[in-house]
Structure formats: structure tokens, C-alpha cells
Amino acid sequence: MSDSPRIAFLASNTEPARLALAAMVARHGEHAPEAADVLCPLGGDGFMLQTLHRYGHLGRPVFGMKLGTVGFLMNQYRDADDVAARIALAEPAHLRPLQMTALTESGTSTGSLAYNDVSLLRQTRQAAHIGVDLNGQERVAELIGDGVLVATPAGSTAYNYSAHGPVLPLGSATIALTPLAPYRPRRWRGAILKADTEVRFRVLDPYKRPVSVTADSHETRDVVEVTIRECRDRQVTLLFDPEHNLEDRILSEQFVF
């Protein structure tokens, strides 16, 4: 990458992000994502995920800066003058998303990518009843509870960790399978799976006990079956300041008391 990369600055709708966008563009110029060398979203983790979903297919590295409430996937925001130098020294983290395909009660099929996690949740006061198959083999005949999720290493410190799932190191080629408030089997706490495992969830009583699925922020309601696998034809590269390394922060997250 050149010493003066073309940077596409993108901002969330918050006032601090909009003000930062104006300062960055005034200093470094304005470039469309398609013509840029690097993407630089300004916001929180939610906006970072929006950026990856919208522009991940371009294959551009992404250097995000925190101007939102949550910024685990972001670098700290600093003065506009040193952005190019920070990008030149940044360390890469390579992420592969999950590919989710859901079949609904109406017979329609929908698909979405998830860089953090895919979660199934009950839609009513009644517990969900879900069967769990791995690579075509039934592993849990009937999971009863609030739901279940599958998380990537990058997403393992988010909803997955709050649900007592494992934190996965970057580059471990694994995914986390974690039940949400399980009632039966009560002692099952999930599993760590190879990243190439195909996970299939079967909603066992979809009419009486409806279930929705959410891939990052994309929700589909009234699903009857959900298949999840690692997306092999999509990879994104996030850039981090050396002192803000994502792998180190994932490790440190396990020692916060």
C-alpha cells in the first residue's frame, strides 16, 4: 500500500461521526469505496458491521475508528493528520463470515452473511424447541430454551460470551455453538466446532412455538429450518493499531473481572 492511500471515509448518523467525517475529508480528500485503497468507517461496531455487509465484496482492508457506544472492532479516534501513517503501521486481522440460509413457514428461503453471529430466538412467551444437526448427523434431538446461536471468533466476545459461550482466538478455524437459557438439556453448554462444520437447526414446533433468526442485524421471522456454514468465498481484512490489536483484545476479554 502506498504512503498516501486513497481512503473512503464513511460515517454513521451520529453528530460526532459526521463532524469527524468532515474533518477527515477536508484533510485527505473524498473517495468512493469502489475507488479507494482502504475503507475507514467512523462510528461503533454496528456501523462497522453495516460497512462490512455493504462493501465486503470489494475486498478492501478496513480501518475503523470509534465514534459510537461500542467499538470492539474499531480503533480509537484521533486527529485527522495521522490516519495515513496509522494505516501504514496497522496490523491485519482476517475474518470469514458465516453464511446463513433460512426456510420460513411460508416456504420462502432467505440468506445472509454474519460477521459476528447467527442467533435463533423464540418469538413468544413459550420456549423454543429446536433440533441440532452437525454435518447431517443429529446431535441434539430437542433443545428447549430461549434459542441457540453460532458465533465466529470475532463475534465470540459479544452475545456469545454474554450467553456463557467460549471466547475463540482469531485464526483458530473454529466457531462456537451456544444455547441460550437452555431448559433441556439443562447442563449442555454448547460446543466448539471446526469452522467448516455445517450446522442445521430444525424448529420442531414452528406454529405453536415460532422462532426468528438474526444474522448480525438481518432478522427473518417464523423460520422452520436454518443452515449455517462458513463462507469460503468471502474474507475481510480489518486493520488495527499495533497497541489495539484485535487478537490481544480477544484474549484480554477473558480476564476482565
Side-chain angles (χ1 to χ4, degrees), residues 8-25 30-31 33 39-44 46-48 50-51 54-55 63-68 74 77:
F9 295 100
L10 310 161
S12 66
N13 290 323
T14 66
E15 183 177 0
R18 289 295 177 185
L19 292 174
L21 175 64
M24 292 290 176
V25 169
E30 187 171 10
H31 301 280
L39 307 183
C40 185
L42 307 170
F47 188 66
M48 168 63 86
Q50 290 179 35
T51 300
R54 187 171 182 179
Y55 299 112
F63 184 86
M65 285 192 280
K66 181 180 182 298
L67 283 158
M74 315 294 274
Y77 176 75

Side-chain angles (χ1 to χ4, degrees), residues 115-241:
Y115 291 91
N116 263 3
D117 54 54
V118 176
S119 58
L120 277 72
L121 293 169
R122 60 185 177 122
Q123 292 179 194
T124 69
R125 60 181 175 80
Q126 293 183 298
H129 289 211
I130 300 170
V132 181
D133 300 344
L134 304 180
N135 292 330
Q137 181 178 354
E138 182 181 275
R139 290 293 185 178
V140 180
E142 186 176 41
L143 169 64
I144 303 174
D146 283 354
V148 63
L149 66 79
V150 177
T152 67
S156 67
T157 60
Y159 190 10
N160 171 73
Y161 194 32
S162 296
H164 307 290
V167 174
L168 306 175
L170 285 180
S172 63
T174 58
I175 54 177
L177 170 62
T178 303
L180 303 174
Y183 178 67
R184 290 288 186 273
R186 191 184 294 271
R187 296 185 181 278
W188 186 56
R189 291 293 178 260
I192 298 174
L193 309 173
K194 289 183 176 180
D196 61 358
T197 303
E198 180 184 272
V199 181
R200 183 164 67 106
F201 298 122
R202 294 171 285 104
V203 180
L204 302 179
D205 196 353
Y207 301 103
K208 182 180 178 182
R209 303 171 183 274
V211 171
S212 66
V213 63
T214 302
D216 286 348
S217 61
H218 180 257
E219 182 185 34
T220 303
R221 297 178 70 81
D222 301 315
V223 298
V224 296
E225 185 176 294
V226 176
T227 303
I228 301 164
R229 60 174 61 87
E230 185 181 58
C231 184
R232 300 304 302 170
D233 58 0
R234 177 73 62 86
Q235 178 176 278
V236 296
T237 300
L238 303 188
L239 301 176
F240 293 93
D241 293 320

